Amino acid sequence: MPENMNLAELAGFLREQPLLALAILAIFITVAGGMLRRHVPLLGRLLQGAGNLGLLAALLLTIAQVTRLTTSSDLALPQVGLPKQEVAGGETRIPISGDGHFWLSASINGRPTRFLVDTGATLTAISENTAIEAQVPQQELRRTVSMKTANGAIQAELVTLGELRMGNIVARDLDAVVAPGLGETNVIGMNLLSRLNSWRVENNVLILVPNNPQQTTQN
């Protein structure tokens, strides 16, 4: 926690770190319960039990978040003159671009956008502007995760994409992060690729094969 932090800054910091706030509240309740047990045993035991449950919940949520959200990715910047992707049979085929990356046309909640495919990224990531334009809602329990980029570590907020479409592929309720350090870059990570039936690269073409091909959209 940062040093020399006033109460307003501390409250803001804890709002961005709900798991830490939950742990601190649980500790406070546990201590209060211990102090009350001498005078009001039943209430003291109840408070201690609630505090211990809160600590356990914070621990389990932290473990789940670390397991799901650990990610390391060197992010590139979008390039102009992107080759056009095409759908062939049950496959979406994306030629490699001049910068050596695979860029695809997609839409989030019906809003057209571009993505860099990065097999080194655990989670799909979108820029702040993309999140605003696609009206991606913030979660009630806001959670952040640390991401490593070419420009250093950044704090990104976990969100859920209602619908992401690309070619004949549709992913719903997809975990993603809104990363302020991405600039205008959006990244397809392994959490989306792992939902596919298969994916491969042949002759500098990325081939995505969905489990259930959907109607092709033009982006």
Side-chain angles (χ1 to χ4, degrees):
M1 187 176 297
E3 298 180 357
N4 302 321
M5 180 178 288
N6 59 39
L7 291 178
E9 292 173 335
L10 177 60
F13 176 78
L14 290 177
R15 279 196 298 270
E16 296 178 355
Q17 303 293 334
L19 294 182
L20 176 60
L22 175 61
I24 292 174
L25 178 61
I27 291 172
F28 176 81
I29 292 174
T30 302
V31 172
M35 296 174 64
L36 287 173
R37 284 193 64 171
R38 293 183 180 181
H39 307 288
V40 190
L42 179 58
L43 178 59
R45 286 195 296 270
L46 287 174
L47 287 177
Q48 282 190 314
N52 289 333
L53 286 176
L55 284 172
L56 178 60
L59 175 61
L60 293 177
L61 287 172
T62 299
I63 293 173
Q65 178 171 295
V66 169
T67 301
R68 290 172 56 202
L69 305 181
T70 300
T71 180
S72 176
S73 172
D74 293 330
L75 302 178
L77 295 176
Q79 304 293 320
V80 296
L82 303 180
K84 185 178 180 180
Q85 67 196 45
E86 62 177 357
V87 176
E91 303 172 344
T92 293
R93 305 172 70 89
I94 306 155
I96 196 168
S97 66
D99 64 356
H101 295 287
F102 293 104
W103 294 88
L104 58 84
S105 300
S107 67
I108 301 175
N109 300 334
R111 179 73 180 187
T113 188
R114 295 278 190 176
F115 278 90
L116 164 69
V117 179
D118 185 353
T119 58
T122 303
L123 276 180
T124 296
I126 61 175
S127 69
E128 289 182 306
N129 285 341
T130 297
I132 294 171
E133 292 173 356
Q135 299 181 344
V136 176
Q138 294 181 330
Q139 295 190 355
E140 293 184 6
L141 180 60
R142 298 182 64 181
R143 288 184 288 170
T144 59
V145 57
S146 179
M147 292 181 61
K148 294 181 180 179
T149 72
N151 296 321
I154 60 173
Q155 288 296 314
E157 182 175 348
L158 178 65
V159 296
T160 299
L161 305 182
E163 181 183 87
L164 190 152
R165 288 179 174 266
M166 51 185 188
N168 63 346
I169 297 167
V170 178
R172 296 184 175 90
D173 298 326
L174 179 70
D175 284 341
V177 289
V178 178
L182 292 183
E184 296 303 314
T185 307
N186 304 301
V187 175
I188 293 293
M190 284 301 300
N191 68 318
L192 188 150
L193 296 179
S194 64
R195 289 190 178 191
L196 303 178
N197 180 279
S198 66
W199 63 273
R200 65 189 187 276
V201 177
E202 292 182 358
N203 299 321
N204 290 328
V205 175
L206 176 63
I207 302 172
L208 306 177
V209 183
N211 290 296
N212 299 297
Q214 304 292 307
Q215 181 177 356
T216 303
T217 58
Q218 299 297 325
N219 296 317

